[in-house]
Amino acid sequence: MKLKFSIRYRTAWGESLHVVIAYHSLDGMIKRHNMLMQTEDGELWTLEMAALLSRQHPLSHIVYLYQVENGEGEVLRREWDLVPRIYHFDTSKDYVFPDQWRDLPLPCHLYTNAYLAMAHRPVNEQVEPLRLPLFRRTLTFRVSAPQLQAGQSVAICGSHPAIGNWNSSRYLRMEYAGQHEWILTVNALGMVFPIEYKYVVVDDQTHALVCWEEGDNRIVAVSDWQNQQLNELPDGQVLVLYGEQLRIREQLWRAAGVAIPVFSLRSEHSYGVGDFGDLKRLVDWVVLTGMKVIQILPVNDTTTNGGWQNSYPYNIISAFALHPHYIDLDAAGTLRSKQKMIMFRRRQQELNALSYSDYEAVDRVKQEYLQQLFEERGKQVMDSKEYKDFVHDNEAWLKPYADYLSTLNAQSSTFTYYLQFLLHQQLKEAADYARSKGVILKGDLPIGVNRESVETREHPELFHLDSQTGAPPDAFTALGQNWGFPTYNWESGDRNRESGGLVTWFRYRLQHLSQYFDALRIDHILGFFRIWEIPEDAVDGLLGHFSPALPLTIGEIEYFGLPFRKELFTRPFINDRLIDRLFGIHAQYVRDNFLVRKAYNLYDLREEVATQRKVMEVFADRRDESSLWIRDGLMRLVSNVLFVEDPRQSEMYHPRIGVVNEPIFEALSNEDKDAFLRLYNNYFYQRHSIFWGQQALKRLPAILKDSRLLICGEDLGMLPDCVEPVLDQLRILTLEIQQMPKQQGFEFAHLEANPYRSVCTISTHDMSPLRLWWQESPERRQRFYVTMLQKEGRAPEQLPAHLAEEIIARHLYCPSMLCILQLQDWLAMDGELRSKNPQEERINVPSDPYNRWKWRMHVTIEQLIAAERYNNKLKTMITRSKRS
């Protein structure tokens, strides 16, 4: 029995095309083979081979895909195979596959669990190798039709009598194989080729033809093993026709949703913080309003000491463990002692009476309750089959996490397992309940992990522990951001990036998250292009550099016309003028205690304050105004350098970002300033664009392979030119915010210009919500009022509800696939429901490293559900904008 593959694909020099074929036996055995294809012109690739048969392991079906490799066997590109090329296998037949390369389809979102759950269709469906009738000569037609509506099927009609003779009432209905795939076999005996055909859509109930597919007729041509055209199909041959998708226009799928952290939820049942029970309750409100998405922040465990610093949801200690704060205590169970329950109910009322979530108090109360519950009910839970299955299935991350907590705070492993089991059950229950209502949960994948996390202990090879992750300076944070996470070591794993290392780790994370979420926000997706890497001894982000990057050699620096002087350019530039300017009345004290005089009236920092981290240590216990003045001045001196040397490549340098506003730049001659500016602009805006795009195309496709999550990228900040085309190629949704236009030269973005494949929002957790933003800058508010809202006169100082409603409506009607607004912004359109104090509604200030993540909704979910007038208005707006 023979298999013949042919495909047109134009390769570059040194590249080759391969078929990766898997033989599946009836007894479950799978044998995989990578077969090199042949070409004469570098475009038409063919492979003829005998199928590998075994009497001991009779074949059931085959699965195959195409991939491009270089001369060293490295996989450069693999076709999209979320929907596999899978066929039942008859050992008495020869199979011919004239294929087309499959890129990610434009309507890729229609294959995601997010779309399927909202449309009340089965999720995680698989294509079945249907056993269809085969004939002496067989044509197999297969087509992918994700655009179909409920109650529709695909059929075929063509120029030969066996396929309808173009008679719309004599179509042949195809069989559904799963995952939007339709397949049909036809007896080709007596057919004279070529023949023409089209796919049609038919109504399941009336059997009426709904529409023909668009475009030219499809053509079936037959050739022999030498590619000579034939009039008939040879005996014993099965010709499999599987090309482009069904060519009909899809109905644009758009949805609305709410963004709120779990800790911010409030109900009559919670204990001072939102929990997974509240998340389930929120689904009921979302359904009433016609929304389809609930977006939350990371729910991973961040606990190191139970202090306020642990309230930062992105500083995770485990990429898999859930935070114990989110356990619904009512659902977990009640204590046997009525007196204890009365005491805990009293503490519950005290916590819920607060306007915010008190992280430390919640931690104490919940830990105490859960410990007592574990002592009473733990054994009963641990004896259950569900618990044992959970521990078995998650042992790879659960055991290291339990060992970590045991070392950290002597928490018993059995208690840790018990908590994680409860958390898993409750979040899974909330997710399944949401799906049953046509609502999806959208999770958040943090870009980093805590420096002292389970992952850094178990897999230190995945990280650069001598550096930190952050963000470069921008309009909101002049010093940049230092998140403190170690950067990733992308060189770990094998050369194909297909197994081991970060790719496998990220895939495992996505697989784990898909239990609960059908859509996923990738935090700081720019980190998969390049990350802002900061030295371990730095505090702010000014001394960072992009990684990976193409640092400059001394020769390249001098090519731009700047003579390189290492001592002057890479060490802090300090002279008397700068000292007097920064320290004023404390200038002489600083000279005497923190500086060392050099030649030419220049100074060096003493060793005890040579880095920003050392400066912070020296001034750790000094809180008076003068000490803080001196501390901040010394911090600025440390960062007053023109170049930062690459930590892994000696004699290679990065221009220090933002240095054109620093004293070291002022000290240059006019000629050197011009040369440096040429170098600076080339480095930050031209040199890396293609390089960073290549990095992302190596990492993201390998990580997202086989994932059915709807992926949304947080692509804010300093965007290289390569980001937009790469995200478009990978069908990843972008984030669009009117206040943060991506097109240079504009203060506000035009909502009608949003791409379809995007998420639009008014504000994020890192920004001021709409009402607070309206108050913060009167000048910007006025410009927005006149240019974007097209109003006359002076903008009101406080945002009235009717204007908030208009702003929300404009977002609902924009082209973006998803419109997901923070709850604070949704409530801004109702004068009675919204908070009286907008200043309390902001969740995070990125420039504040000590920010407390404590905002909590001021109304309960029960009150939201009871707000019938508001809910009806909201549902009407969402329905009219065609997002319901």
Side-chain angles (χ1 to χ4, degrees), residues 508-535:
Y508 187 28
R509 290 180 71 182
L510 262 61
Q511 179 185 352
H512 183 78
L513 290 170
S514 65
Q515 299 175 91
Y516 317 117
F517 306 113
D518 296 310
L520 192 67
R521 171 189 180 270
I522 297 184
D523 175 45
H524 194 63
I525 200 170
L526 299 182
F528 293 90
F529 293 76
R530 81 292 185 272
I531 199 72
W532 189 247
E533 186 173 84
I534 304 167

Short mmCIF file of all heavy atoms in Angstrom, two decimals, residues 508-535:
data_model
loop_
_atom_site.label_atom_id
_atom_site.label_comp_id
_atom_site.label_asym_id
_atom_site.label_seq_id
_atom_site.Cartn_x
_atom_site.Cartn_y
_atom_site.Cartn_z
N TYR A 508 2.86 23.72 29.68
CA TYR A 508 2.25 23.07 30.83
C TYR A 508 1.39 24.07 31.60
O TYR A 508 0.29 23.74 32.08
CB TYR A 508 3.35 22.49 31.73
CG TYR A 508 2.86 21.66 32.89
CD1 TYR A 508 1.65 20.98 32.83
CD2 TYR A 508 3.63 21.54 34.05
CE1 TYR A 508 1.20 20.20 33.90
CE2 TYR A 508 3.19 20.78 35.12
CZ TYR A 508 1.97 20.12 35.04
OH TYR A 508 1.53 19.36 36.10
N ARG A 509 1.86 25.31 31.71
CA ARG A 509 1.08 26.35 32.38
C ARG A 509 -0.23 26.60 31.64
O ARG A 509 -1.30 26.71 32.25
CB ARG A 509 1.89 27.65 32.47
CG ARG A 509 3.05 27.61 33.42
CD ARG A 509 3.79 28.93 33.44
NE ARG A 509 3.02 29.98 34.09
CZ ARG A 509 3.45 31.23 34.21
NH1 ARG A 509 4.63 31.58 33.70
NH2 ARG A 509 2.71 32.14 34.81
N LEU A 510 -0.17 26.72 30.32
CA LEU A 510 -1.38 26.96 29.53
C LEU A 510 -2.35 25.79 29.64
O LEU A 510 -3.57 25.98 29.76
CB LEU A 510 -1.01 27.21 28.07
CG LEU A 510 -0.95 28.68 27.64
CD1 LEU A 510 0.12 29.42 28.44
CD2 LEU A 510 -0.64 28.80 26.15
N GLN A 511 -1.81 24.58 29.59
CA GLN A 511 -2.65 23.40 29.74
C GLN A 511 -3.34 23.40 31.11
O GLN A 511 -4.53 23.09 31.22
CB GLN A 511 -1.81 22.15 29.57
CG GLN A 511 -2.59 20.84 29.72
CD GLN A 511 -1.67 19.63 29.66
OE1 GLN A 511 -0.48 19.74 29.37
NE2 GLN A 511 -2.22 18.47 29.94
N HIS A 512 -2.62 23.76 32.14
CA HIS A 512 -3.17 23.81 33.49
C HIS A 512 -4.26 24.88 33.58
O HIS A 512 -5.34 24.65 34.14
CB HIS A 512 -2.05 24.10 34.48
CG HIS A 512 -2.48 24.09 35.91
ND1 HIS A 512 -2.70 22.95 36.62
CD2 HIS A 512 -2.73 25.12 36.77
CE1 HIS A 512 -3.07 23.24 37.86
NE2 HIS A 512 -3.10 24.56 37.97
N LEU A 513 -4.01 26.05 33.02
CA LEU A 513 -4.97 27.15 33.10
C LEU A 513 -6.23 26.87 32.31
O LEU A 513 -7.31 27.39 32.63
CB LEU A 513 -4.32 28.45 32.61
CG LEU A 513 -3.24 29.05 33.52
CD1 LEU A 513 -2.51 30.17 32.82
CD2 LEU A 513 -3.85 29.54 34.82
N SER A 514 -6.11 26.05 31.26
CA SER A 514 -7.28 25.78 30.41
C SER A 514 -8.36 24.99 31.14
O SER A 514 -9.48 24.88 30.64
CB SER A 514 -6.85 25.06 29.13
OG SER A 514 -6.32 23.77 29.43
N GLN A 515 -8.04 24.42 32.30
CA GLN A 515 -9.08 23.78 33.11
C GLN A 515 -10.12 24.80 33.55
O GLN A 515 -11.31 24.48 33.68
CB GLN A 515 -8.48 23.17 34.37
CG GLN A 515 -7.44 22.09 34.16
CD GLN A 515 -6.85 21.68 35.49
OE1 GLN A 515 -7.33 20.76 36.13
NE2 GLN A 515 -5.81 22.37 35.92
N TYR A 516 -9.65 26.03 33.79
CA TYR A 516 -10.51 27.05 34.38
C TYR A 516 -10.90 28.15 33.40
O TYR A 516 -11.98 28.72 33.52
CB TYR A 516 -9.79 27.70 35.58
CG TYR A 516 -9.07 26.74 36.48
CD1 TYR A 516 -7.68 26.79 36.64
CD2 TYR A 516 -9.77 25.76 37.18
CE1 TYR A 516 -7.02 25.92 37.48
CE2 TYR A 516 -9.11 24.87 38.02
CZ TYR A 516 -7.73 24.96 38.18
OH TYR A 516 -7.07 24.08 39.00
N PHE A 517 -10.02 28.43 32.45
CA PHE A 517 -10.22 29.60 31.60
C PHE A 517 -10.35 29.18 30.13
O PHE A 517 -9.73 28.21 29.69
CB PHE A 517 -9.06 30.58 31.75
CG PHE A 517 -8.80 30.98 33.18
CD1 PHE A 517 -7.63 30.59 33.83
CD2 PHE A 517 -9.73 31.71 33.89
CE1 PHE A 517 -7.40 30.94 35.15
CE2 PHE A 517 -9.51 32.07 35.21
CZ PHE A 517 -8.34 31.68 35.84
N ASP A 518 -11.13 29.95 29.38
CA ASP A 518 -11.26 29.74 27.95
C ASP A 518 -10.61 30.86 27.15
O ASP A 518 -10.48 30.77 25.93
CB ASP A 518 -12.74 29.63 27.57
CG ASP A 518 -13.38 28.41 28.21
OD1 ASP A 518 -12.82 27.31 28.09
OD2 ASP A 518 -14.44 28.55 28.85
N ALA A 519 -10.24 31.92 27.82
CA ALA A 519 -9.48 33.01 27.21
C ALA A 519 -8.38 33.40 28.19
O ALA A 519 -8.49 33.17 29.39
CB ALA A 519 -10.36 34.22 26.89
N LEU A 520 -7.30 33.97 27.67
CA LEU A 520 -6.15 34.25 28.52
C LEU A 520 -5.50 35.56 28.09
O LEU A 520 -5.21 35.76 26.90
CB LEU A 520 -5.13 33.11 28.44
CG LEU A 520 -4.01 33.12 29.47
CD1 LEU A 520 -4.57 32.87 30.87
CD2 LEU A 520 -2.96 32.07 29.15
N ARG A 521 -5.30 36.43 29.06
CA ARG A 521 -4.51 37.64 28.85
C ARG A 521 -3.06 37.33 29.15
O ARG A 521 -2.75 36.85 30.25
CB ARG A 521 -5.01 38.76 29.77
CG ARG A 521 -4.13 40.01 29.79
CD ARG A 521 -4.61 40.94 30.90
NE ARG A 521 -3.83 42.16 30.99
CZ ARG A 521 -2.73 42.32 31.74
NH1 ARG A 521 -2.28 41.30 32.46
NH2 ARG A 521 -2.09 43.47 31.78
N ILE A 522 -2.17 37.54 28.19
CA ILE A 522 -0.74 37.34 28.44
C ILE A 522 -0.16 38.67 28.89
O ILE A 522 -0.09 39.63 28.12
CB ILE A 522 -0.01 36.81 27.19
CG1 ILE A 522 -0.55 35.43 26.81
CG2 ILE A 522 1.49 36.73 27.45
CD1 ILE A 522 0.16 34.79 25.64
N ASP A 523 0.19 38.72 30.15
CA ASP A 523 0.74 39.94 30.73
C ASP A 523 2.05 40.31 30.04
O ASP A 523 2.94 39.47 29.85
CB ASP A 523 0.97 39.71 32.23
CG ASP A 523 1.66 40.88 32.90
OD1 ASP A 523 1.27 42.02 32.65
OD2 ASP A 523 2.59 40.63 33.70
N HIS A 524 2.16 41.57 29.63
CA HIS A 524 3.40 42.10 29.02
C HIS A 524 3.91 41.16 27.93
O HIS A 524 5.03 40.63 28.00
CB HIS A 524 4.47 42.29 30.09
CG HIS A 524 5.63 43.13 29.63
ND1 HIS A 524 5.51 44.45 29.27
CD2 HIS A 524 6.94 42.83 29.47
CE1 HIS A 524 6.69 44.92 28.90
NE2 HIS A 524 7.58 43.95 29.02
N ILE A 525 3.10 40.96 26.91
CA ILE A 525 3.47 40.04 25.83
C ILE A 525 4.73 40.49 25.11
O ILE A 525 5.40 39.69 24.45
CB ILE A 525 2.30 39.86 24.85
CG1 ILE A 525 2.48 38.56 24.03
CG2 ILE A 525 2.15 41.09 23.95
CD1 ILE A 525 1.27 38.19 23.22
N LEU A 526 5.09 41.77 25.28
CA LEU A 526 6.34 42.25 24.69
C LEU A 526 7.54 41.49 25.24
O LEU A 526 8.60 41.43 24.62
CB LEU A 526 6.51 43.74 24.95
CG LEU A 526 5.44 44.68 24.39
CD1 LEU A 526 5.78 46.13 24.69
CD2 LEU A 526 5.29 44.46 22.90
N GLY A 527 7.38 40.87 26.42
CA GLY A 527 8.46 40.09 27.00
C GLY A 527 8.83 38.87 26.19
O GLY A 527 9.92 38.31 26.36
N PHE A 528 7.94 38.43 25.30
CA PHE A 528 8.26 37.32 24.41
C PHE A 528 8.98 37.80 23.16
O PHE A 528 9.51 36.99 22.40
CB PHE A 528 6.99 36.56 24.04
CG PHE A 528 6.37 35.86 25.21
CD1 PHE A 528 5.42 36.49 26.00
CD2 PHE A 528 6.76 34.57 25.55
CE1 PHE A 528 4.86 35.85 27.09
CE2 PHE A 528 6.21 33.93 26.65
CZ PHE A 528 5.26 34.57 27.42
N PHE A 529 9.01 39.11 22.94
CA PHE A 529 9.85 39.72 21.91
C PHE A 529 11.20 40.07 22.51
O PHE A 529 12.23 39.70 22.01
CB PHE A 529 9.19 40.99 21.37
CG PHE A 529 7.92 40.76 20.60
CD1 PHE A 529 6.74 40.47 21.25
CD2 PHE A 529 7.91 40.85 19.22
CE1 PHE A 529 5.56 40.26 20.55
CE2 PHE A 529 6.74 40.64 18.50
CZ PHE A 529 5.57 40.35 19.17
N ARG A 530 11.13 40.84 23.59
CA ARG A 530 12.32 41.23 24.37
C ARG A 530 11.83 41.71 25.72
O ARG A 530 10.70 42.15 25.87
CB ARG A 530 13.13 42.30 23.64
CG ARG A 530 12.65 43.73 23.77
CD ARG A 530 11.34 44.04 23.08
NE ARG A 530 10.96 45.44 23.11
CZ ARG A 530 10.26 46.02 24.05
NH1 ARG A 530 9.91 45.36 25.13
NH2 ARG A 530 9.92 47.30 23.96
N ILE A 531 12.66 41.60 26.70
CA ILE A 531 12.30 42.01 28.06
C ILE A 531 13.25 43.11 28.50
O ILE A 531 14.38 43.19 28.01
CB ILE A 531 12.35 40.80 29.03
CG1 ILE A 531 11.54 41.09 30.30
CG2 ILE A 531 13.80 40.43 29.36
CD1 ILE A 531 10.07 41.08 30.09
N TRP A 532 12.78 43.95 29.39
CA TRP A 532 13.65 44.97 29.97
C TRP A 532 14.38 44.34 31.15
O TRP A 532 13.78 44.02 32.17
CB TRP A 532 12.83 46.18 30.41
CG TRP A 532 13.65 47.37 30.82
CD1 TRP A 532 13.76 47.90 32.06
CD2 TRP A 532 14.46 48.18 29.96
NE1 TRP A 532 14.60 48.99 32.05
CE2 TRP A 532 15.04 49.19 30.78
CE3 TRP A 532 14.77 48.15 28.61
CZ2 TRP A 532 15.90 50.16 30.25
CZ3 TRP A 532 15.62 49.11 28.10
CH2 TRP A 532 16.18 50.10 28.91
N GLU A 533 15.67 44.12 30.97
CA GLU A 533 16.49 43.40 31.95
C GLU A 533 17.30 44.40 32.76
O GLU A 533 18.03 45.22 32.19
CB GLU A 533 17.40 42.41 31.24
CG GLU A 533 18.19 41.52 32.18
CD GLU A 533 18.96 40.44 31.42
OE1 GLU A 533 20.08 40.73 30.96
OE2 GLU A 533 18.43 39.33 31.29
N ILE A 534 17.19 44.31 34.07
CA ILE A 534 17.80 45.26 34.99
C ILE A 534 18.84 44.53 35.84
O ILE A 534 18.58 43.41 36.29
CB ILE A 534 16.73 45.90 35.90
CG1 ILE A 534 15.64 46.55 35.04
CG2 ILE A 534 17.33 46.91 36.85
CD1 ILE A 534 14.40 46.93 35.83
N PRO A 535 20.00 45.13 36.07
CA PRO A 535 21.02 44.46 36.92
C PRO A 535 20.46 44.17 38.32
O PRO A 535 19.59 44.88 38.83
CB PRO A 535 22.15 45.48 36.98
CG PRO A 535 21.96 46.36 35.79
CD PRO A 535 20.49 46.41 35.55
#
